[in-house]
Amino acid sequence: MAVNLLLGLQWGDEGKGKVVDVLTSNYDIIARFQGGPNAGHTLIFDGRKHVLHTIPSGIFHENAVNVVGNGVVIDPVIFKKELENLATYNLDFKSKLLISRKAHLILPTHRLLDAASETSKGNAKIGSTLKGIGPTYMDKTGRNGMRVGDLELVDWKDKYHSLTEKHLKMIEFFGVKLQYNIKELETEFCEAIDVLKQLTFIDSEEYLNNAIRNKKTILAEGAQGSLLDIDFGTYPFVTSSNTTAAGACTGLGIAPNKIGDVFGIFKAYTTRVGSGPFPTELFDEDGKTMSRVGQEFGATTGRPRRCGWLDLVALKYAVQINGVTQLIMMKGDVLSGIKTLKACTSYNYKGNIISHFPYNIEEKNVTPIYTEFKGWNEDLTLMTSAKTLPKELNAYIKFIEDFVEVPIKIVSVGPDRKQTIMR
């Protein structure tokens, strides 16, 4: 039984949480494989909005087991708040939410290091969510980190204090002023650890491979997006983990030959939070319309998202490096009423016309070349069948499919789980 993957193909915020929620009924296990609480997966159903940060998006389905894999970094304080926000649903966290012992822990001083590093950069800020993600992954690769399994050891606090002391010295090195009370932060952290230890810790790679052998269906859920991948994204304006398909193998302990379908999610336009190059970014009324109608604000940070036309060069690049087999297009409804749509189909790169995603897409190097499309005025949000979609939208969809050579199987026409059209 193959493991299917669900990935974002842009700079994150594509709508992965909604789609995982929609697809969960087809799977026994939903497994998150990378990232941390810098992710914000938004789900809307029964008239209520839910934002998850670390917990997999299948948590609301009674029959699904949710696994936080070894590639994830966990902030116990944020995790505790997530659990508290879900308390009214009477969910069986002990049996339905399993945590990998090999997942790394975000300490309070990781967050302080994140803030100190970002502040020290001045105008060259990366746009970090300041959740301590980067410093935690740095400790992981530096072989200094604390893992969930350490909490089962009697001397885990010794390791915690040793790492905290190291961090405090590093914060002094940055030479910036931060306001914090380490005792208060530690008290909050230890209270959250007590809650975390009430959950079930597992050797997740063994659990998942046993599930595969027992013919269980598994959906691996990614966070952020492919263009934020530490290797293949718009470095250095990226996240600290591998957000692409390869990250699912290392983030869950699943062999590449166990991967089946790769579902790639993208918006009908493009958005980006924080700093970094964005060739198709708009500063006109069309961009403002996308922002307003699409309610483009970060689910985790609340920061306004930058908006622009769909970049098909970047999308084809993401499809290629992930081996995407099916596409899911989100927020087509946001484009209703825009008279003329555009999609970037090539770049003018340093005076040459290219159709691939180059090493550097800074504005000084890249000018997007567009293909135009006739827009539509129909309200898509009440449509329930592919047959009812406007012909202009179908033409837009077909062009995208032909360009990237992968079919679009799902079209989302609104934020609610019911506003999902299968093609």
Side-chain angles (χ1 to χ4, degrees):
M1 184 66 68
V3 178
N4 293 340
L5 308 186
L6 186 135
L7 307 158
L9 299 181
Q10 296 164 309
W11 280 294
D13 307 307
E14 298 94 347
K16 296 178 289 296
K18 171 189 169 172
V19 177
V20 172
D21 177 55
V22 168
L23 296 178
T24 293
S25 58
N26 300 324
Y27 295 93
D28 300 309
I29 299 169
I30 308 298
R32 171 84 180 274
F33 65 83
Q34 49 71 226
N38 52 341
H41 291 180
T42 303
L43 298 77
I44 298 178
F45 56 87
D46 299 335
R48 295 187 64 179
K49 177 179 178 180
H50 313 270
V51 179
L52 301 173
H53 300 283
T54 311
I55 296 173
S57 301
I59 193 64
F60 294 103
H61 292 257
E62 183 178 351
N63 296 323
V65 174
N66 294 263
V67 175
V68 179
N70 60 275
V72 178
V73 292
I74 300 171
D75 184 329
V77 175
I78 294 178
F79 204 89
K80 175 176 176 284
K81 291 176 182 176
E82 278 192 75
L83 294 173
E84 291 170 349
N85 290 338
L86 297 175
T88 57
Y89 294 92
N90 295 316
L91 302 172
D92 182 8
F93 293 123
K94 187 71 176 176
S95 64
K96 296 299 182 183
L97 180 59
L98 311 179
I99 314 296
S100 173
R101 290 187 173 92
K102 290 186 172 72
H104 278 249
L105 294 169
I106 301 173
L107 278 53
T109 44
H110 281 131
R111 296 200 306 270
L112 296 177
L113 269 174
D114 204 352
S117 175
E118 190 77 340
T119 302
S120 71
K121 290 183 175 71
N123 293 332
K125 290 179 182 179
I126 289 174
S128 169
T129 58
L130 303 180
K131 301 295 181 182
I133 308 299
T136 304
Y137 277 112
M138 288 173 67
D139 272 339
K140 175 178 179 176
T141 57
R143 296 161 292 181
N144 297 307
M146 274 194 68
R147 301 192 290 180
V148 168
D150 291 332
L151 300 177
E152 296 176 319
L153 306 177
V154 294
D155 62 345
W156 74 264
K157 286 189 178 180
D158 293 339
K159 189 168 187 176
Y160 165 81
H161 287 300
S162 176
L163 191 52
T164 294
E165 287 301 315
K166 173 190 170 185
H167 291 165
L168 291 174
K169 291 176 182 177
M170 292 171 67
I171 290 168
E172 290 179 14
F173 168 79
F174 283 107
V176 297
K177 291 185 178 180
L178 295 180
Q179 297 295 323
Y180 61 90
N181 184 317
I182 192 65
K183 292 297 182 184
E184 289 182 2
L185 293 174
E186 286 184 345
T187 298
E188 183 183 41
F189 180 79
C190 290
E191 290 173 353
I193 290 295
D194 289 339
V195 172
L196 187 65
K197 289 170 72 173
Q198 295 173 22
L199 300 178
T200 302
F201 299 165
I202 62 170
D203 296 323
S204 54
E205 65 281 4
E206 182 68 13
Y207 176 88
L208 292 170
N209 279 288
N210 280 335
I212 293 170
R213 284 190 285 270
N214 291 320
K215 309 300 182 184
K216 298 291 185 181
T217 52
I218 301 172
L219 180 65
E221 176 187 21
Q224 288 85 42
S226 297
L227 299 181
L228 292 174
D229 185 270
I230 186 65
D231 285 296
F232 297 104
T234 49
Y235 190 90
F237 302 98
V238 292
T239 192
S240 304
S241 58
N242 286 113
T243 61
T244 46
C249 296
T250 57
L252 294 174
I254 292 171
N257 63 358
K258 296 297 189 289
I259 302 299
D261 275 317
V262 179
F263 305 118
I265 304 182
F266 71 101
K267 287 178 181 173
Y269 50 101
T270 308
T271 64
R272 175 161 205 170
V273 172
S275 306
F278 185 174
T280 64
E281 185 172 8
L282 292 172
F283 302 95
D284 59 8
E285 287 304 314
D286 289 333
K288 293 176 182 177
T289 297
M290 294 173 190
S291 177
R292 175 177 51 81
V293 178
Q295 298 183 36
E296 296 293 358
F297 297 91
T300 295
T301 63
R303 292 181 296 180
R305 298 179 186 136
R306 301 151 63 191
C307 297
W309 297 119
L310 179 62
D311 188 334
L312 285 175
V313 177
L315 185 64
K316 190 166 187 175
Y317 168 75
V319 166
Q320 174 180 279
I321 61 176
N322 286 300
V324 172
T325 59
Q326 298 183 33
L327 287 168
I328 300 168
M329 188 174 87
M330 311 298 289
K331 290 198 167 184
D333 53 293
V334 173
L335 299 181
S336 293
I338 297 179
K339 187 175 180 180
T340 302
L341 304 178
K342 295 181 182 179
C344 172
T345 48
S346 59
Y347 294 147
N348 184 324
Y349 180 70
K350 298 181 179 180
N352 297 312
I353 306 303
I354 65 171
S355 57
H356 71 278
F357 198 75
Y359 176 78
N360 187 298
I361 60 165
E362 294 286 352
E363 185 179 2
K364 62 184 178 182
N365 296 321
V366 166
T367 301
I369 298 173
Y370 292 108
T371 297
E372 294 189 351
F373 303 86
K374 184 179 179 182
W376 57 89
N377 290 314
E378 292 89 337
D379 180 359
L380 308 183
T381 58
L382 298 178
M383 295 184 180
T384 57
S385 168
K387 295 179 181 179
T388 62
L389 295 176
K391 62 181 181 181
E392 295 86 357
L393 174 55
N394 281 324
Y396 188 60
I397 289 172
K398 186 176 187 309
F399 186 90
I400 296 169
E401 290 179 319
D402 290 344
F403 191 93
V404 302
E405 300 178 303
V406 176
I408 296 174
K409 291 293 189 179
I410 297 177
V411 177
S412 176
V413 293
D416 193 277
R417 62 160 63 141
K418 295 179 180 178
Q419 294 172 303
T420 308
I421 294 176
M422 308 294 177
R423 298 177 76 240

